[in-house]
């Protein structure tokens, strides 16, 4: 008996010798994505190419994953991320099963992550998993017989958020290198910031401006990561206004109340890192403002109308990179898409 | 980059000059429905026509919304309403994403309704939203770049329930005017009753019989609304048995325990307004009994078999009007459906 | 107006006279499944045949239920079972609506199961219901105008689990009779064990070996059920190691902590009934190990690699029998499937 469901599209997978352009997606087929370090820079760029292709060929790709089933296993709520993964699969023609919130899952009967993934591998063709514990996604990917995408595990990794950020930077600036990128807010606990810096360091030629209160500075191991990149630099500051004019990208993050010992410190520091129309006057006209969302009040509503605001575009890019990733891991070719020569190498 | 997903049906929208019959649906395309006061009487009648057409052409309309995605954002549970909206989209060929219960949503991280709707506009083609606060649907419709349907906001409006009631009255009586309509039970807090009376007053020529205990009488502003209609009248009574023989329609509502100061009053009054087979003996043979459901014990189970009972038909009509509304707001034409001349005017 | 949605597949149901082979599925069409006692042995075997056919014809059956809607009404969480029913319908081309957890349902407003089922009958073509109270599924099946599948009601019945177990036994051993079957663990409260024994007794020619601590022995009425079968036998023991060499099938169950008066008893007994690689050495090389899952620690992880471990296969078989059952109750023929002569009789 076959382990997996065949697709019912009637299409037969092409072979390398006939379609040599498909080398790249072939290499991601059947693989899991726990961290972006799992995949090569050409593969990352290829996923961004695919996301852009999907955006301009939505009708053509609408049946790419016909007959597929995605399972969204969300052991903690993250509605925004869950809906993005689910919409991505539906927009490709596939279907979705899943749960949100551990209280609804068999885990309440003491089942291990491994057993749950072995079970769900019998239902779904691909899994997106969110879990509060670091390392859960790796355990899941080892137990599953289908690809597992890490949709966030504790303070650890959230690779599709980083792909989303990269797609937005490239869409706005036309490139991922030769950029001055400001990271602003909570740089101690901001998982998305750490992951984005690490990946940009692999690409190289980025000058980071790290803007945070002293209480929320960038951890040493991230600074060492930048130092280890021969073409990247950083400087630290606590004053957004002083550096905003230098930036190509301003990446804002939430300053979370629960990070502070007392409410007074929180209120004082929070307001220092609020982006408003006044502070924006000193910024370049082509700077792009990113934010992983949800925001509370780090960016005032007035900024939303500014053409530099890119954070709702980011939401759309998040869905597009997830469409690219889901189809690539499933090995379902996007009709008409051609892999670039550099990716095949 | 395009803001919205194209449909992948391959159909190109027709233009007014070529298909002048489509004026009406064109005018609803892309709009939100916060209250029925947002749309004209011909548009309301057209939606009822569409619902009836769908019921007799289910196979023909089964792919009307292929490639569409509905988001159901239910900030408070209302399983019955949510399933009705979702089934409506699935029966039209579309897909569904969403959440039920605020605890599962990003709102728990303090996100505003506006930001949630801006986000979801990137995922879905249309939104049905339920929220405990009055005015939430209006805020949502202003922030979203896709149509928003109000699926209930606090004690305020619930326009698809009223469309459901109208569809059931028309299906049973063949008309929406020249009717004597009894409203029975909790007329103080019954949102559905207020909304139905308001819309019937726009249509005119209805005699309302308002049947309630003194504690739960119709509010003054609703009585004034009836007075303002030149062709509508009302009378108030506390005795269902005395008036039941006069009615074309009997609209029953739940008398909720939490409306009373003490349990004795509740128990005494509740029983007065229970419809049973005995009370029904005095009613006309062609009277129709409506109830927005869920019922607790306002109507005894024995009445369910009576041909006058129309409340489970109402459930089906609810799904049908939601199919009509979703397709109309999306601008997806029902194959074979012709708009009446009076609607085009 | 039609009560039910037509399918939009364009296929017209065949008549008995033209396709006499379809007698069996015709007889299940439109029926509910509350307990396996509702259906005949040939029908049970036919469902197992269909499950096997589906497994080897997944592409062919992928549109069997196009246009259908399954409602999963889970009044208590059982994620594993819910996902199995849902995946089954999606893999057949249908769609899914539903809820999980009574707190989300209209029941919180006091609605009866009957009213909920009358409502949902207007939305869905078939229902799978899980409820904590015994008898709930029977009440539901009487109120609904569409087929209802009992997905577990209290400690009572869970017929699709039994079909799953039978499918796995037949897949592993090629037969359902002439077997020595060990049941191990909690035989007092283990609903799945009782249901499996009852159905195997209908088939006959099974020797049961009932392995449990004295505190968790098989209830008298089940032993009487075996006695009443002229070709079945049983023996009871508390020592797994002593009998494991005799078994064709070893059916393991969870020993739940809450069944014991004190923790010491639980810990002592639990370990006695853990299956590990050491105990397996005495078992036959072609014995099959079943477990309804989720497991806690009744089977050590090392056993998973043993070719005798069949419990994750059971998960797949669970989905396959649900595909067979859903399509049969809907009367949707599996393309190319031929009913065996003995079933038609």
């Amino acid at each position: 008996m076959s382990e997996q469901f065949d697709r019912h599209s009637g299409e037969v997978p092409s072979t390398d010798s006939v379609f040599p352009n498909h080398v790249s997606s072939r290499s991601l087929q059947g693989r899991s994505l726990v961290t972006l370090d799992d995949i090569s820079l050409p593969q990352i760029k290829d996923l961004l190419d695919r996301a852009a292709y999907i955006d301009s060929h939505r009708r053509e790709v609408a049946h790419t994953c016909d007959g597929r089933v995605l399972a969204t296993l969300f052991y903690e709520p993250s509605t925004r991320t869950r809906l993005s993964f689910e919409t991505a699969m539906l927009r490709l023609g596939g279907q979705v099963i899943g749960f949100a919130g551990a209280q609804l899952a068999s885990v309440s009967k003491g089942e291990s992550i491994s057993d749950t993934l072995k079970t769900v591998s019998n239902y779904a063709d691909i899994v997106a998993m969110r879990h509060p514990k670091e390392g859960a996604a790796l355990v899941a990917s080892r137990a599953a017989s289908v690809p597992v995408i890490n949709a966030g595990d504790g303070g650890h990794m959230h690779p599709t958020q980083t792909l989303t950020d990269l797609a937005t930077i490239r869409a706005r600036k036309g490139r991922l290198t030769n950029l001055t990128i400001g990271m602003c807010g909570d740089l101690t606990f901001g998982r998305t910031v750490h992951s984005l810096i690490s990946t940009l360091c692999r690409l190289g030629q980025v000058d980071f401006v790290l803007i945070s209160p002293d209480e929320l500075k960038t951890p040493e191991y991230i600074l060492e990561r930048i130092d280890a990149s021969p073409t990247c630099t950083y400087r630290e500051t606590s004053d957004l206004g002083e550096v905003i004019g230098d930036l190509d990208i301003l990446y804002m993050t939430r300053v979370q109340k629960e990070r502070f010992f007392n409410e007074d410190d929180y209120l004082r520091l929070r307001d220092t890192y609020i982006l408003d129309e006044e502070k924006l006057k000193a910024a370049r006209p082509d700077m792009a403002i990113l934010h992983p969302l949800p925001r509370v009040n780090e960016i005032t509503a007035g900024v939303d109308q500014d053409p530099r605001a890119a954070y709702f575009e980011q939401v759309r890019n998040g869905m597009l990179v997830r469409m690219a990733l889901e189809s690539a891991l499933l090995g379902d070719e996007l009709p008409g898409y051609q892999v670039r020569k550099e990716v095949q190498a």
Side-chain angles (χ1 to χ4, degrees), chain A:
Chain A
M1 288 196 278
S2 62
E3 274 296 309
Q4 294 301 314
F5 262 84
D6 290 325
R7 300 175 59 210
H8 54 270
S9 68
E11 285 170 44
V12 177
S14 55
T15 61
D16 280 6
S17 57
V18 182
F19 298 106
N21 278 351
H22 294 171
V23 171
S24 164
S25 82
R26 189 63 41 78
S27 63
L28 283 180
Q29 183 177 350
R31 290 176 56 182
S32 289
L33 187 70
V34 175
T35 140
L36 278 190
D37 292 337
D38 293 347
I39 61 176
S40 69
L41 289 182
Q43 285 171 332
I44 290 174
K45 287 179 187 166
D46 180 53
L47 287 171
L48 301 182
D49 287 346
R50 286 170 187 269
Y53 179 84
I54 287 166
D55 195 33
S56 55
H57 297 78
R58 293 183 178 204
R59 188 175 299 194
E60 289 85 347
V61 305
H63 294 284
T64 300
C65 295
D66 271 8
R68 298 296 199 181
V69 174
L70 163 74
T72 49
L73 310 184
F74 275 56
Y75 288 81
E76 63 178 4
S78 179
T79 306
R80 160 186 309 279
T81 303
R82 180 174 61 79
L83 294 184
S84 184
F85 273 104
E86 294 182 358
T87 308
M89 182 49 70
L90 295 175
R91 295 290 189 192
L92 290 166
Q95 294 283 6
V96 177
I97 59 169
F99 61 80
Q103 76 286 2
L104 299 175
S106 294
V107 285
S108 60
K109 294 181 187 165
E111 187 176 63
S112 69
I113 290 174
S114 289
D115 275 17
T116 299
L117 269 289
K118 281 178 190 166
T119 294
V120 172
S121 293
N122 283 291
Y123 302 151
D125 301 297
I126 187 166
V127 171
M129 187 176 101
R130 176 104 170 187
H131 199 283
K133 282 200 193 154
E134 294 191 16
L138 184 62
V139 170
S141 70
R142 286 180 178 162
S145 60
V146 298
V148 174
I149 303 172
N150 185 359
D153 58 340
H156 203 213
M157 297 298 289
H158 189 9
T160 57
Q161 179 65 50
T162 303
L163 288 172
T164 299
D165 299 339
L166 294 173
T168 308
I169 293 171
R170 205 175 70 166
R172 279 290 177 125
K173 309 306 296 181
R175 63 189 192 278
L176 292 169
T177 53
N178 294 308
L179 292 167
T180 300
I181 300 183
M183 308 288 194
C184 180
D186 175 358
L187 303 187
T188 301
F189 300 100
R191 170 176 64 180
T192 59
V193 166
H194 302 167
S195 180
L196 179 56
I197 291 174
S198 293
T199 307
L200 287 168
C201 283
R202 292 171 68 190
L203 291 154
Q205 294 180 287
V206 171
D207 297 319
F208 295 101
V209 184
L210 306 169
I211 310 151
S212 75
D214 284 348
E215 288 86 344
L216 293 173
K217 287 177 78 173
T218 314
E220 199 58 36
Y221 79 96
I222 296 291
L223 300 180
E224 286 168 8
R225 180 70 192 84
I226 302 175
D227 282 332
S229 165
T231 58
C232 292
T233 68
Y234 73 86
R235 54 183 158 138
E236 296 185 277
T237 176
S238 62
D239 188 342
L240 173 57
E242 186 182 88
V243 295
I244 197 169
D246 302 336
L247 306 177
D248 296 307
I249 300 287
L250 172 56
Y251 194 103
M252 297 292 296
T253 64
R254 239 180 319 149
V255 176
Q256 290 179 285
K257 206 173 181 170
E258 55 267 37
R259 304 298 185 204
F260 291 87
F261 285 115
N262 63 68
E263 184 138 352
D264 285 348
D265 279 359
Y266 166 67
L267 291 174
R268 176 178 50 84
L269 288 166
R270 189 191 61 177
D271 293 348
T272 320
Y273 298 91
I274 290 178
L275 183 65
D276 57 21
E277 290 157 284
E278 185 57 34
K279 287 204 188 79
L280 256 189
K281 284 183 183 158
R284 293 185 190 165
D286 64 345
M287 187 186 77
I289 308 162
L290 278 68
H291 188 299
L293 302 183
R295 69 168 159 187
V296 180
N297 63 350
E298 310 83 38
I299 303 175
T300 61
V303 174
D304 295 3
Q305 317 308 325
D306 192 292
R308 288 169 285 196
Y311 32 93
F312 288 112
E313 267 172 57
Q314 241 174 312
V315 174
R316 188 182 65 229
N317 290 328
M319 179 183 66
L320 295 169
V321 298
R322 289 179 181 106
M323 291 175 78
L325 184 62
E326 288 170 356
S327 56
L329 298 183
L330 286 165
D332 293 341
E333 286 302 325
L334 302 168
Y337 176 75
Q338 295 283 320
V339 177
R340 290 195 210 181
K341 283 244 169 75
E342 62 166 39
V343 182
Q344 301 171 46

